[in-house]
């Protein structure tokens, strides 16, 4: 306009003032709070448990195969076997276990419940056959194996864990549907007598470690069923008393208690395995000596590829490797608790809780023994140690958890939104409307009101 002052940019001074007085931006947010909020959103996504269980179990199995190959080479050569002997057997077991995992993942809940009684009956029969002369065989002083021919053996007590989880979950679910769990008789009978029967068959063979895991599963089921404190304390007191008697009457078990925190093998090298497990962990440092470079596996550390594979992992992969394994087990435990807590199906809740108790308790007992914090119980690290008898039921149980995680209302809604990339027109089946990328939130809220029945 004529007569109005102009700047070199051609804009009046008023416009420049408005430009300079822009509104201040939002205050700077704490990066830790922002990271915490993002993690909370990630944990709350409907498929988080599904990804944690499937991804964590796959990583543990693959890393376990690598460590079995590394830790078992020297043992195989000492037995005049090929260096990859134990690895090939473990890989075959992992392949069969993957088939069982997929089968368990695809089965409906009704079929899982129908398999509970046959699996329990089969496990009991096999554990009885273990005590029959000529059929059962002793390994490391424990009579808990059955020879299948050649170099293949089976440990029926490992399948007893899966049997107790499935049968106990089905039993408690049926009693809850009939509103019988408010009576202590129905909560204990026949669950506790059946569990004690399995424990007795296991203890006949002298396998204290597996008996501890089975006891942990029993207490996990009772806790999920809402057992009163007095009832829970009573059963726990009986279990502790029996355990004390079994330990006190066995010099071998008393010697294992004496090796907790030991730094010297002691007289007669009674704590040789425990001490050399600590040596392996201590020599690993932060990042380890390198894959395959363990020194303790050269005959110094007994059971390097089975019960003490965590020690070899610490020596070769260092603190970073052991913390990674620990984080994977923590992720599995968190995902299992989430699945058990979010479902409305009582069978799913008890089965998911039982499997989670089984895997986490066994991992804690194994790693605690290697670290010198617990007595050596002789239990393998789930999904990680060598042993097909332990791997097969564990992978079937992981398949159960994956199936339950996929069956969450929010997870079903999120999976239903996924469309195949090829073979379907964009927007087909949506009446011409475009779906919002956040529509799974609405569907999860809508589906959460529906009760998931185990009898479908």
């Amino acid at each position: 306009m004529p007569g109005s002052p102009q700047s070199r940019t051609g804009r009046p001074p008023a416009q420049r003032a408005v430009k300079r007085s822009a509104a201040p931006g939002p205050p700077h947010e704490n990066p830790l709070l922002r990271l915490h909020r993002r993690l909370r959103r990630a944990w709350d996504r409907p498929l988080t448990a599904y990804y944690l269980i499937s991804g964590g179990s796959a990583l543990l199995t693959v890393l376990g195969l690598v460590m079995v190959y590394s830790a078992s080479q020297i043992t195989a050569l000492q037995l005049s076997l090929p260096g990859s002997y134990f690895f090939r057997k473990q890989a075959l077991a992992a392949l069969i276990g993957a088939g069982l995992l997929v089968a368990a993942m695809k089965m409906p809940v009704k079929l899982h419940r129908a398999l509970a009684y046959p699996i329990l009956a089969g496990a009991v029969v096999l554990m009885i056959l273990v005590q029959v002369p000529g059929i059962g065989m002793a390994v490391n002083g424990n009579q808990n194996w059955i020879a299948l021919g050649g170099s293949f053996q089976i440990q029926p007590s490992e399948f007893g864990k899966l049997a107790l989880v499935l049968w106990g979950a089905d039993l408690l679910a049926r009693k809850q549907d009939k509103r019988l769990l408010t009576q202590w008789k129905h909560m204990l009978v026949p669950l506790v007598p059946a569990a004690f029967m399995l424990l007795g068959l296991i203890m006949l063979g002298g396998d204290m470690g597996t008996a501890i895991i089975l006891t942990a599963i029993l207490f996990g089921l009772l806790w999920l069923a809402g057992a009163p404190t007095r009832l829970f304390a009573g059963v726990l007191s009986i279990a502790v008393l029996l355990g004390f008697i079994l330990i006190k009457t066995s010099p071998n078990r008393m010697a294992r208690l004496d090796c907790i925190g030991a730094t010297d093998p002691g007289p007669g090298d009674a704590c040789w395995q425990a001490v050399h497990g600590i040596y392996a962990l201590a020599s690993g440092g932060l990042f380890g000596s390198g894959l395959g470079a363990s020194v303790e596996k050269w005959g110094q550390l007994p059971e390097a590829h089975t019960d003490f594979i965590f020690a070899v992992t610490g020596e070769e992969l260092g603190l970073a490797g052991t913390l990674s394994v620990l984080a994977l087990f923590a992720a599995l435990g968190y995902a299992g608790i989430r699945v058990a807590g979010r479902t409305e199906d009582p069978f799913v809740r008890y089965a998911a809780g039982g499997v989670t108790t089984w895997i986490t308790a066994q991992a804690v007992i194994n790693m605690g023994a290697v670290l010198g914090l617990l007595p050596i119980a002789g239990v393998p690290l789930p999904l990680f140690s060598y042993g097909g008898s332990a791997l097969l039921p564990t992978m079937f149980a992981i398949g159960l958890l994956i199936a339950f995680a996929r069956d969450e209302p929010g997870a079903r809604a999120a999976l239903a939104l996924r469309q195949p990339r090829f073979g379907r027109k964009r927007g087909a089946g949506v009446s011409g409307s475009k779906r919002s990328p956040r529509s799974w939130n609405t569907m999860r809220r809508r589906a959460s009101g529906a009760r998931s029945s185990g009898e479908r």
Side-chain angles (χ1 to χ4, degrees):
M1 294 176 59
S4 60
Q6 297 287 336
S7 67
R8 286 177 293 181
T9 60
R11 289 183 297 179
Q15 294 183 5
R16 291 202 306 271
V18 173
K19 184 72 176 179
R20 285 194 298 267
S21 60
H28 180 68
E29 187 180 6
N30 190 336
L32 293 178
L33 293 177
R34 184 168 61 251
L35 177 62
H36 175 71
R37 188 168 59 252
R38 290 180 178 178
L39 288 177
R40 286 290 299 272
R41 286 201 300 264
W43 290 122
D44 196 49
R45 290 176 180 173
L47 291 176
T48 296
Y50 168 71
Y51 289 136
L52 285 178
I53 297 170
S54 56
S57 58
L59 288 174
L60 282 171
T61 305
V62 172
L63 183 58
L65 286 172
V66 174
M67 293 311 305
V68 165
Y69 180 63
S70 174
S72 65
Q73 287 181 342
I74 306 304
T75 303
L77 293 176
Q78 290 174 343
L79 297 174
S80 301
L81 297 170
S84 61
Y85 174 78
F86 293 104
F87 167 76
R88 285 181 294 175
K89 290 185 64 177
Q90 186 74 356
L92 176 61
L95 186 62
I96 299 174
L100 293 176
L101 186 149
V102 173
M105 186 176 64
K106 298 296 184 181
M107 289 180 187
V109 175
K110 185 176 181 180
L111 183 55
H112 288 147
R113 301 185 70 167
L115 289 175
Y117 283 86
I119 293 178
L120 177 65
V124 170
V125 170
L126 289 177
M127 282 191 282
I128 293 175
L129 291 178
V130 166
Q131 306 304 322
V132 177
I135 298 179
M137 59 181 299
V139 177
N140 295 330
N142 292 339
Q143 182 82 14
N144 53 4
W145 295 83
I146 294 178
L148 298 180
S151 60
F152 291 95
Q153 306 164 353
I154 187 173
Q155 187 177 1
S157 58
E158 293 291 340
F159 294 89
K161 304 172 186 176
L162 178 63
L164 180 60
V165 168
L166 287 178
W167 177 78
D170 178 68
L171 175 69
L172 292 175
R174 287 188 288 108
K175 286 179 176 289
Q176 180 173 328
D177 290 338
K178 298 178 180 179
R179 304 183 183 276
L180 296 176
L181 290 182
T182 55
Q183 306 174 31
W184 68 269
K185 294 181 181 179
H186 286 284
M187 184 172 291
L188 294 182
V189 180
L191 177 62
V192 175
F196 280 7
M197 177 191 65
L198 293 175
L199 288 171
L201 292 173
I202 291 173
M203 289 308 300
L204 281 177
D207 191 357
M208 186 73 178
T210 304
I212 294 174
I213 305 301
L214 214 68
T215 305
I217 295 173
L218 172 62
F219 286 128
L221 291 174
L222 289 176
W223 182 77
L224 288 169
T229 306
R230 290 181 299 175
L231 186 62
F232 200 85
V235 179
L236 181 61
S237 301
I238 295 174
V240 170
L241 179 61
L242 291 176
F244 176 79
I245 295 174
L246 292 172
I247 293 174
K248 197 69 176 178
T249 55
S250 173
N252 182 35
R253 299 188 186 111
M254 287 298 299
R256 292 186 181 187
L257 282 178
D258 294 336
C259 292
I260 297 178
T263 56
D264 185 85
D269 293 332
C271 300
W272 179 273
Q273 186 180 28
V275 170
H276 279 272
I278 297 296
Y279 289 168
L281 291 172
S283 60
L286 187 59
F287 296 106
S289 58
L291 192 62
S294 169
V295 175
E296 291 293 334
K297 69 182 181 183
W298 287 76
Q300 300 296 322
L301 179 63
E303 308 297 336
H305 60 298
T306 55
D307 300 344
F308 270 67
I309 195 171
F310 189 70
V312 179
T313 303
E315 185 179 5
E316 295 188 350
L317 303 183
L319 181 64
T322 55
L323 288 181
S324 299
V325 174
L326 185 62
L328 290 173
F329 277 111
L332 276 180
Y334 165 81
I337 293 173
R338 168 174 160 156
V339 171
R342 292 196 173 191
T343 184
E344 297 182 4
D345 189 330
F347 172 79
V348 173
R349 179 167 62 254
Y350 295 131
V355 171
T356 305
T357 303
W358 162 15
I359 294 176
T360 54
Q362 186 166 327
V364 167
I365 292 173
N366 177 276
M367 291 186 285
V370 173
L371 293 171
L373 303 176
L374 296 173
I376 299 174
V379 296
L381 191 59
L383 301 173
F384 206 83
S385 296
Y386 169 79
S389 295
L391 184 63
L392 294 182
T394 305
M395 293 192 74
F396 186 89
I398 292 294
L400 285 176
L401 284 181
I402 295 176
F404 298 156
R406 287 167 55 97
D407 201 45
E408 287 185 9
R412 287 202 308 268
L415 292 172
L417 290 176
R418 294 184 174 182
Q419 300 292 338
R421 184 170 297 179
F422 303 104
R424 181 176 295 186
K425 295 181 180 180
R426 183 176 299 177
V430 200
S431 301
S433 61
K434 295 183 178 180
R435 284 178 173 173
S436 169
R438 293 290 183 180
S439 59
W440 59 265
N441 287 323
T442 305
M443 293 189 69
R444 181 176 65 174
R445 290 193 296 269
R446 188 184 310 135
S448 61
R451 180 181 178 87
S452 174
S453 174
E455 300 294 337
R456 62 182 181 276

